[in-house]
Amino acid sequence: MLGGMVTETLWRDAERCYRVVTARDSRFDGQFIMAVRTTGIYCRPSCPASTPKAQNVRFFPTSAAAQANGFRACRRCLPDAVPGSPDWNVRADLAARAMRLISDGTVEREGVPGLARRLGYSERQLGRVLTAELGAGPLALARAHRAHSARLLIELSELPLTDVAFAAGFSSVRQFNETIREVFATTPSQLRAFAASRRGRQSDVTGTRLSLRLPFRPPFDAPGLLRFFADNAIPGVEEVTSESYARTLRLAHGTGVVRLTPSPDHVRCELMLTDLRDLGSAVSRVRRLLDLDADPAAVTRVLGADPALAPLVAAAPGMRVPGAVDGEELLLRALLDEVPPGEEVPGEWGVTRLFPTAAQVATAGLGETVTGVAAALAEGRLDVHVGREAAELRAELLDYVDPSTADYVVMRVLGAPDVLLCGDPEVRRGAEALEIPPESLGERARAWTPWCSYAGRYLRLALSARPEDGLGDDDLVAVEGRRR
């Protein structure tokens, strides 16, 4: 069941934003940007610098909007190195869908015309909506994304700066230098030297191997995600241990391998890429896979108020809904009983091959339904990507799959937070375990909106752990069998 919601535009409420800044509340990092007129700098809400006077600050929805208004990034709080706004997952409007595609590198690869085409709008209309909603047009938003990717490469790799420029998506070294100076008020070489001095040593990251820290809003139920990945892992494509998850990636310019190791305050992301132009896209996809931009406090407020779910919410705080690194792959995985082999890649962290392409699946003779879906994907008649509108994508999927599978794909590919899989047998059995009649789930979901996707995860958890039994966190083993 797809739910709907209306979100509040926080950055437009200056009084509330200023209270957040005064409290230095890190829970709001990434949800809006504070810019200081007297210094020309923009910061995250929790910046440790002295709080400016209220009359000297402005608030923006994105770093790109602050940059477009002449502000540069704070070098103390690094406002671009924060969890992304949960708005891009919660909202389903044009601006949110555009932001998801921009973060995936669509503008760098296809330009603004390609972005507009994927979203189904004219370039002019798209620019008008993004400027009104986000304070900047698609080119400015993509420029901010490139600046962030460039900073990561400057600070974490030993690549020559010329190579960094093109790997980050800039069309020239001059454009790269100008952007870095405008955004960070320093040159690329100075930025690299400053990063090295903060580390106290030179980076040991070379070539195409990078190690990043991916922030999130705590709490974060890492054990639950690792159990989910372990239950669904495809040998060769994925490798799961008690501490980490590794997998291969099929990206726009090449392939990649990633290993993700959760820590108390971040996820360590080790990346091997054949083409560094894919860095921004790879990081964006991994963040969606782990649902790192979620707002667990908001989920807890709603679901924790339900007497049936409250004990589970307390026992497993920070529940995440697993996303997807590739829409095509996720749809095919939902249908396949056996995955045909994909291309081999250089082995790293126990993974050795890619998930097969739709064209490969279409010719593998795996049954009428699978073949039909794979052929539609391969021929472009069905396009499953993060910029799709949820209802429109679901309607297209229903031409090929059942409603439960369509909802499942929408929930994971788009990161839709308000999808309750009422027809899922495990969700229904979990509801029964909590003495919720399965036939009343649709009505019960009204109280869980806009977090029905998370409620579904807790209902599955109820299958294997009854809170009244006094089970600890180590006993809460969720049953997350692969969907067929």
Side-chain angles (χ1 to χ4, degrees), residues 108-179:
E108 281 76 16
R109 295 192 299 271
E110 303 175 24
V112 175
L115 176 67
R117 184 172 60 253
R118 282 180 173 268
L119 293 167
Y121 285 78
S122 70
E123 293 179 52
R124 178 177 296 179
Q125 188 175 11
L126 175 63
R128 185 165 57 247
V129 171
L130 293 184
T131 301
E133 290 289 322
L134 306 179
L139 286 176
L141 292 164
R143 176 178 180 267
H145 175 68
R146 285 195 297 272
H148 174 59
S149 297
R151 186 183 66 79
L152 292 177
L153 289 171
I154 290 169
E155 296 184 346
L156 297 174
S157 80
E158 298 300 330
L159 280 177
L161 294 176
T162 299
D163 293 345
V164 168
F166 295 107
F170 290 95
S171 59
S172 68
V173 174
R174 178 180 178 180
Q175 183 190 60
F176 164 68
N177 288 330
E178 289 177 350
T179 298

Side-chain angles (χ1 to χ4, degrees), residues 176-462:
F176 164 68
N177 288 330
E178 289 177 350
T179 298
I180 296 300
R181 280 197 296 267
E182 291 175 9
V183 174
F184 301 110
T186 186
T187 65
S189 57
Q190 290 171 335
L191 190 59
R192 174 166 282 177
F194 179 67
S197 67
R198 282 189 305 174
R199 290 192 301 266
R201 59 180 175 83
Q202 289 297 317
S203 172
D204 58 0
V205 180
T206 58
T208 58
R209 184 189 294 266
L210 296 168
S211 180
L212 315 175
R213 293 164 57 100
L214 305 182
F216 55 75
R217 295 177 181 85
F220 178 61
D221 181 31
L225 277 176
L226 290 176
R227 286 192 294 267
F228 177 88
F229 293 138
D231 290 339
N232 294 275
I234 299 174
V237 177
E238 299 165 292
E239 180 70 22
V240 188
T241 71
S242 61
E243 297 180 346
S244 67
Y245 167 71
R247 66 154 297 147
T248 53
L249 300 170
R250 187 186 298 277
L251 300 163
H253 300 101
T255 63
V257 180
V258 63
R259 181 168 65 177
L260 303 165
T261 307
S263 295
D265 62 349
H266 68 277
V267 173
R268 185 174 183 83
C269 173
E270 299 168 88
L271 271 170
M272 290 285 293
L273 299 172
T274 59
D275 192 318
L276 282 174
R277 287 178 295 175
D278 289 320
L279 172 62
S281 178
V283 171
S284 176
R285 294 180 187 206
V286 166
R287 292 193 64 84
R288 289 198 301 272
L289 177 68
L290 302 184
D291 196 14
L292 293 185
D293 294 329
D295 185 353
V299 175
T300 298
R301 281 195 299 272
V302 173
L303 301 187
D306 187 303
L309 293 182
L312 288 167
V313 173
M319 180 71 77
R320 294 309 203 264
V321 176
V325 296
D326 184 274
E328 177 181 294
E329 174 189 315
L330 192 280
L331 174 56
L332 292 173
R333 287 179 71 145
L335 301 173
L336 289 169
D337 291 317
E338 182 178 348
V339 179
E343 304 101 304
E344 292 188 359
V345 296
E348 188 77 22
W349 302 311
V351 294
T352 57
R353 61 188 177 90
L354 298 168
F355 188 87
T357 64
Q360 291 170 328
V361 174
T363 58
L366 298 174
E368 183 178 350
T369 298
V370 172
T371 300
V373 171
L377 290 168
E379 296 167 8
R381 290 182 282 114
L382 179 60
D383 195 7
V384 183
H385 62 73
V386 295
R388 296 298 305 272
E389 196 276 323
E392 182 183 80
L393 175 59
R394 185 179 188 273
E396 288 188 16
L397 288 169
L398 289 176
D399 290 337
Y400 302 92
V401 299
D402 61 84
S404 181
T405 301
D407 287 342
Y408 178 77
V409 171
V410 168
M411 179 181 71
R412 292 195 58 189
V413 173
L414 303 186
D418 203 27
V419 180
L420 185 62
L421 305 177
C422 294
D424 188 306
E426 293 180 6
V427 169
R428 297 177 70 84
R429 291 200 299 271
E432 291 177 340
L434 296 179
E435 300 181 353
I436 300 174
E439 60 273 11
S440 72
L441 278 174
E443 181 179 351
R444 191 68 170 258
R446 296 176 184 173
W448 298 335
T449 294
W451 310 116
C452 288
S453 300
Y454 298 85
R457 289 274 287 156
Y458 280 115
L459 290 176
R460 282 171 167 253
L461 183 62

Side-chain angles (χ1 to χ4, degrees), residues 52-137:
K53 295 179 180 180
Q55 62 266 30
N56 292 333
V57 299
R58 293 181 62 187
F59 299 103
F60 297 99
T62 61
S63 295
Q67 293 168 21
N69 281 271
F71 295 93
R72 62 183 186 276
C74 175
R75 292 172 60 183
R76 185 173 182 180
C77 72
L78 299 176
D80 62 337
V82 297
S85 172
D87 271 1
W88 312 143
N89 294 331
V90 174
R91 291 167 52 173
D93 60 10
L94 175 60
R97 292 187 287 124
M99 282 298 294
R100 293 198 291 267
L101 284 174
I102 289 169
S103 68
D104 196 46
T106 298
V107 174
E108 281 76 16
R109 295 192 299 271
E110 303 175 24
V112 175
L115 176 67
R117 184 172 60 253
R118 282 180 173 268
L119 293 167
Y121 285 78
S122 70
E123 293 179 52
R124 178 177 296 179
Q125 188 175 11
L126 175 63
R128 185 165 57 247
V129 171
L130 293 184
T131 301
E133 290 289 322
L134 306 179

